[in-house]
Amino acid sequence: MTGNVAQSGTAASCDALVIGGGPAGLMAAEALAGLGRAVVVAEARPTLGRKFLMAGKSGLNLTKVEPPAHFRAAYAEASDWLAPMLAAFDADAVQGWARDLGQPVFTGSSGRVFPVAMKASPLLRAWLGRLTAQGVALRPRWRWTGWDGDALAFDTPDGPRALAPRVTVLALGGASWARLGSDGAWAPWLAARGVGLAPFRPANVGICRTWSAHMTPHFGAPLKGVALSAGDLRVRAECVISARGLEGGGIYALGPALRDGAALEVDLAPALDAATVATRLAARPPRETTAARLRKALGLRPVALALMQEVARPLPRDPAALAGVVKALRVAHDGPRPIDEAISTAGGITHAALDDGLMLRALPGVFAAGEMLDWEAPTGGYLLTGCLATGRWAGRAAAGWP
């Protein structure tokens, strides 16, 4: 064996092992190496950071600048136990980390932070270069296959191997986008060793709906300037009409409620109250068509008018009744798209299964980070920051393990 490992019987010994080469795993490796541990990173895919690179195709939203309490609220039920990790590696820290890698960043009008390069590959190259300079050994095509006694077993390009690390950080992702490496195959291995798990569920994913032919010309069209609500959640964000339903950041932010069966409501005029909408509609000439009234009185776009006709036909003529439809257009749906189409997943290792350093209570010396843990957050900087923050937290805690 080469680099940071030494052969000992049938298993090679090593100081610190990180399994998973995504953002959480690489951040754990950086934290471990920075605190003096000799680190091996095992990654099943041919290259590291594949999901990170995929996220970067749309601009790589690293984090979001907003008040800490608002930022933490995006993590919903997990916000309390994630709070110290998010405070230790907050939006300012994420930006500083990127700059230290030679990647300047900028903050958009919405508070979202992006690299000036607007892609992930330069940052990832710089990151891997820094890890290599720190002595971190990167092992692509090393697929973890569970335990062999007390050792961790791998399929590698050189055949089966086993490692016996002093400390381990697991950062294998959730169960979405299996083609990029996050397939959830690790769940039964941990369950068999007494680790508490919550079922995987799709997060940051579109919802299913079968449209009539009437909607076909609008596939791919964004529904802008709207507010979306489901259950107790409400967001001002756009979504996109797709051939299979509705997609986009606004839908993703409502994911927990939509996944649990809540109805979707669309407010097509969120800047106006219902009385103002009714007054504007009533002021239009009585012979005007309903579509013309909506377009001229409220500035509704063709995709919004088509959606109203699709889900609320026949539209009422009475201005007050029509205003009610505009302000609370109910769109029936058939739940989320399949889990492998999701950007991320809820479920995984429960909070109760972890100590304060993200070590598995059932497996002393084994820590976990990233999407393996049972938390979820919307896109828009929250998801990636959560992965980086938990990776850093687990790596620092693991570095102190005997």
Side-chain angles (χ1 to χ4, degrees), residues 182-280:
S182 298
D183 57 11
W186 50 266
W189 306 331
L190 294 187
R193 292 193 167 230
V195 177
L197 302 174
F200 290 120
R201 294 168 294 164
N204 291 303
V205 69
I207 54 174
C208 303
R209 179 181 168 90
T210 301
W211 304 109
S212 72
H214 164 75
M215 291 298 291
T216 302
H218 303 283
F219 291 166
L223 191 63
K224 296 183 176 181
V226 301
L228 308 173
S229 61
D232 296 329
L233 303 176
R234 179 180 171 88
V235 294
R236 286 283 297 268
E238 67 181 62
C239 61
V240 175
I241 307 293
S242 76
R244 300 183 296 178
L246 290 160
E247 310 275 349
I251 297 298
Y252 302 162
L254 303 178
L258 295 172
R259 189 176 59 219
D260 290 339
L264 172 66
E265 284 192 353
V266 182
D267 182 347
L268 295 170
L272 306 174
D273 61 27
T276 302
V277 171
T279 298
R280 291 190 179 187

Side-chain angles (χ1 to χ4, degrees), residues 28-382:
E30 183 170 308
L32 282 158
L35 291 171
R37 304 301 290 256
V39 186
V40 175
V41 176
E43 163 58 43
R45 308 301 292 179
T47 55
L48 283 73
R50 291 171 73 93
K51 197 170 181 181
F52 185 70
L53 290 172
M54 179 65 75
K57 287 188 174 181
S58 58
L60 192 63
N61 186 184
L62 290 169
T63 191
K64 189 173 184 181
V65 176
E66 61 185 355
H70 192 183
F71 191 90
R72 289 195 301 272
Y75 298 84
E77 296 175 1
S79 60
D80 287 343
W81 64 269
L82 288 176
M85 305 170 209
L86 296 170
F89 200 69
D90 60 10
D92 287 341
V94 173
Q95 294 177 78
W97 166 79
R99 293 189 189 102
D100 287 346
L101 287 168
Q103 298 301 306
V105 299
F106 71 94
T107 303
S109 58
S110 66
R112 296 181 178 186
V113 177
F114 301 86
V116 171
M118 287 299 288
K119 52 186 177 181
S121 52
L123 191 151
L124 181 60
R125 282 195 301 270
W127 196 6
L128 294 176
R130 183 161 75 184
L131 290 171
T132 300
Q134 289 177 306
V136 175
L138 305 177
R139 297 283 181 264
R141 299 183 188 272
W142 276 50
R143 179 178 294 278
W144 185 41
T145 58
W147 277 273
D148 181 4
D150 291 331
L152 294 111
F154 294 87
D155 283 338
T156 81
D158 299 316
R161 296 294 174 91
L163 291 181
R166 293 175 61 192
V167 65
T168 301
V169 177
L170 303 177
L172 289 131
S176 64
W177 287 10
R179 71 186 187 280
L180 300 181
S182 298
D183 57 11
W186 50 266
W189 306 331
L190 294 187
R193 292 193 167 230
V195 177
L197 302 174
F200 290 120
R201 294 168 294 164
N204 291 303
V205 69
I207 54 174
C208 303
R209 179 181 168 90
T210 301
W211 304 109
S212 72
H214 164 75
M215 291 298 291
T216 302
H218 303 283
F219 291 166
L223 191 63
K224 296 183 176 181
V226 301
L228 308 173
S229 61
D232 296 329
L233 303 176
R234 179 180 171 88
V235 294
R236 286 283 297 268
E238 67 181 62
C239 61
V240 175
I241 307 293
S242 76
R244 300 183 296 178
L246 290 160
E247 310 275 349
I251 297 298
Y252 302 162
L254 303 178
L258 295 172
R259 189 176 59 219
D260 290 339
L264 172 66
E265 284 192 353
V266 182
D267 182 347
L268 295 170
L272 306 174
D273 61 27
T276 302
V277 171
T279 298
R280 291 190 179 187
L281 292 170
R284 300 303 306 168
R287 292 186 178 181
E288 208 167 52
T289 66
T290 300
R293 294 169 74 198
L294 291 165
R295 184 177 66 254
K296 294 177 181 179
L298 304 174
L300 296 190
R301 299 177 182 181
V303 63
L305 297 173
L307 185 62
M308 289 185 71
Q309 292 286 1
E310 176 76 4
V311 303
R313 191 170 46 210
L315 295 175
R317 289 289 298 173
D318 175 71
L322 186 57
V325 176
V326 170
K327 293 295 292 178
L329 183 66
R330 179 162 290 205
V331 182
H333 62 90
D334 298 318
R337 298 294 306 165
I339 197 167
D340 197 49
E341 296 181 20
I343 293 173
S344 61
T345 50
I349 300 169
T350 64
H351 178 217
L354 302 160
D355 73 2
D356 290 342
L358 298 183
M359 185 173 73
L360 301 177
R361 297 183 187 277
L363 295 170
V366 179
F367 297 73
E371 289 187 53
M372 292 186 74
L373 311 182
D374 183 19
W375 61 274
E376 62 179 306
T379 57
Y382 305 108

Side-chain angles (χ1 to χ4, degrees), residues 4-5 13-17 36-40 164-168 401-402:
N4 295 339
V5 295
S13 62
C14 68
D15 182 26
L17 172 65
R37 304 301 290 256
V39 186
V40 175
R166 293 175 61 192
V167 65
T168 301
W401 183 255

